[in-house]
Amino acid sequence: MYSLYRATTQEEAELKFIIFKDKIPVFIEVAKEMCNVHGLQKLCDILTEHPSWTLAHLAAHFGLHDSFNDPRVNCYLNSSEPETGMSPLQVAISTQNLKTVQMLVAASCSLEHLDNEANSVFHYAASTTKEIIGTLAQGSPPRCLNGRNKNGHTPLHIACLSDKPDCVKALLLAGADSNIAATKGDEDATMEPSYVGNYLQNNPNTLYLKDVKSGGTPLHWANSRLVIEALIDVNCHINAVNFEAKTALHVMVERNKIDCVVALLSRQADADIGDKDGNRPLHLAVKTGNQSIIQALIVFGVDLDVLNNAGETARHLMTKDQEAKLLYYLAAVGARRCLPDVSGCTDGCRYNGTYEGIPPPKVSCNKKCYTRRNLKRIEIWIK
């Protein structure tokens, strides 16, 4: 004897009976391995959680591959569960059962199906494994690969939010457009797409994917000047922002990648875009205390006095310890002191202060010549 379900009221029991009677007898006839106490309990539990699932949804959830050969299951191959809109393939992807996914794809299951939140099969796969994404992307990339769900996110955004570097790379290789912003804006209508799959195919280890959870484009994850130049050449949007509203220039400043910073600036990256806190790359360069990057930003003509959301200039952000090393480079090119009503100032930025930093020591003749040669090389390289 089996106790499938116990209810406190007859109405509750009758409702459960209607759900169970149409599915359990047929399902255990098709999948005889489920006809035991443990299997029946799991079957009842999942039907309690998803009462409108079809036999195909159940087979996909339990990974019962042979069940799809039965017409009573196969007829529901592309059905949509009313409550969530999930298809059997989306259920199989959610369970991360690669063999079931492969079987359903081979059976020509629809790859264009969207659930009630406009999530495609690739949205579901984006937080699973690269093997599942590869299975779905066989042949021509489906149109839904770059589609947005109701939250405005593409599968690539989901993979970033899930902190799945392998899935990010798999989606890019499959043909994901890296220029689609996480929040739909006016620029989307005119933005040229960027497909970096071919580049990654030939250059597999050129992206620093440890920080993909912050989103962005491959430019945000580039690990060298050469990679940045190659990505810009395949139309990666140089001023695209990640989930924190940071451009690739912000990220490279934070990572102290001077070669990448200069490469971006040389390709006309906008150094006066603020992140979610209004910080420009110059603010971040001061925070990281990188003298070379501060000098590079100055050379490329950034706004020295722009305020972040807290009303702070880059000069104001300098700590007393930093001022001895860095303040001179801002003060010497005209970075203004704070206004009289600004609080929390040091003598280096106070309205009536006098400290302007410490000039660097004079270099010897040999060092001057060496410096001039290096500056000439930089000038030629930039040109």
Side-chain angles (χ1 to χ4, degrees):
M1 295 178 66
Y2 301 99
S3 177
L4 299 182
Y5 180 80
R6 296 190 179 191
T8 56
T9 65
Q10 181 173 336
E11 181 183 8
E12 185 182 357
E14 287 176 347
L15 180 63
K16 196 66 63 177
F17 174 75
I18 292 170
I19 295 169
F20 286 177
K21 76 177 181 65
D22 292 333
K23 294 169 185 174
I24 292 180
V26 179
F27 194 71
I28 61 175
E29 184 180 338
V30 172
K32 292 181 172 56
E33 60 267 45
M34 297 292 291
C35 191
N36 54 66
V37 174
H38 184 61
L40 285 169
Q41 187 62 63
K42 290 197 295 183
L43 187 56
C44 292
D45 289 344
I46 201 66
L47 280 173
T48 298
E49 187 177 351
H50 302 285
S52 56
W53 272 13
T54 68
L55 298 179
H57 287 83
L58 294 171
H61 175 79
F62 292 114
L64 301 171
H65 319 113
D66 294 338
S67 300
F68 288 98
N69 296 322
D70 192 296
R72 290 172 291 182
V73 176
N74 199 53
C75 66
Y76 294 109
L77 199 62
N78 290 314
S79 59
S80 177
E81 187 260 327
E83 186 177 344
T84 63
M86 289 177 70
S87 69
L89 178 56
Q90 289 173 325
V91 172
I93 294 169
S94 298
T95 64
Q96 299 192 33
N97 191 312
L98 178 60
K99 188 175 180 181
T100 305
V101 173
Q102 290 171 333
M103 185 173 184
L104 290 171
V105 171
S108 299
C109 196
S110 174
L111 299 179
E112 302 291 346
H113 177 87
L114 302 179
D115 70 8
N116 294 347
E117 296 298 316
N119 290 302
S120 69
V121 292
F122 285 99
H123 284 93
Y124 280 81
S127 57
T128 59
T129 67
K130 61 181 181 181
E131 289 79 15
I132 288 178
I133 293 172
T135 298
L136 297 173
Q138 292 173 359
S140 301
R143 290 170 297 175
C144 63
L145 178 59
N146 292 309
R148 295 176 180 274
N149 61 16
K150 288 189 176 179
N151 291 325
H153 292 148
T154 67
L156 187 59
H157 299 141
I158 298 295
C160 291
L161 288 167
S162 303
D163 198 11
K164 291 279 190 174
D166 286 345
C167 293
V168 169
K169 191 171 182 179
L171 287 167
L172 291 171
L173 288 169
D177 180 2
S178 62
N179 273 354
I180 301 177
T183 303
K184 192 172 184 179
D186 295 336
E187 65 178 10
D188 275 358
T190 57
M191 183 70 65
E192 291 281 339
S194 175
Y195 305 111
V196 302
N198 289 338
Y199 172 77
L200 291 180
Q201 193 76 48
N202 299 323
N203 304 273
N205 299 311
T206 54
L207 297 184
Y208 181 85
L209 292 172
K210 292 183 179 179
D211 294 329
V212 296
K213 60 186 176 184
S214 296
T217 72
L219 275 180
H220 291 78
W221 316 317
N223 58 18
S224 72
R225 172 180 63 84
L226 293 175
V227 175
I228 282 178
E229 292 180 334
L231 290 172
I232 294 173
D233 288 341
V234 294
N235 205 37
C236 261
H237 181 35
I238 197 168
N239 293 320
V241 298
N242 63 14
F243 299 139
E244 298 172 347
K246 290 177 179 176
T247 64
L249 185 57
H250 285 95
V251 173
M252 296 306 159
V253 169
E254 288 184 313
R255 287 171 56 192
N256 287 312
K257 300 282 287 185
I258 179 63
D259 57 333
C260 295
V261 169
V262 175
L264 288 165
L265 291 169
S266 300
R267 293 293 195 103
Q268 286 79 53
D270 189 343
D272 290 321
I273 294 175
D275 63 13
K276 64 181 178 64
D277 296 317
N279 288 317
R280 274 56 171 184
L282 184 60
H283 289 93
L284 300 182
V286 168
K287 286 185 175 182
T288 59
N290 193 307
Q291 175 186 321
S292 298
I293 291 180
I294 290 173
Q295 290 173 316
L297 291 167
I298 291 171
V299 167
F300 279 89
V302 300
D303 186 343
L304 301 175
D305 303 311
V306 67
L307 305 177
N308 63 15
N309 294 349
E312 301 162 327
T313 63
R315 180 167 179 163
H316 177 84
L317 290 177
M318 284 191 185
T319 64
K320 287 186 177 180
D321 292 337
Q322 288 178 320
E323 284 178 344
K325 180 182 177 183
L326 302 177
L327 178 59
Y328 175 80
Y329 297 99
L330 287 180
V333 291
R336 293 196 297 267
R337 291 178 171 274
C338 294
L339 296 174
D341 59 346
V342 177
S343 60
C345 294
T346 64
D347 191 43
C349 67
R350 189 178 296 112
Y351 177 72
N352 56 356
T354 58
Y355 185 56
E356 298 289 344
I358 301 174
K362 292 182 178 181
V363 296
S364 65
C365 182
N366 288 338
K367 287 184 178 179
K368 280 184 180 179
C369 295
Y370 176 76
T371 302
R372 284 171 183 162
R373 286 199 301 271
N374 277 345
L375 287 173
K376 187 66 176 176
R377 290 192 188 109
I378 293 171
E379 181 183 353
I380 293 170
W381 177 70
I382 290 173
K383 288 180 179 178

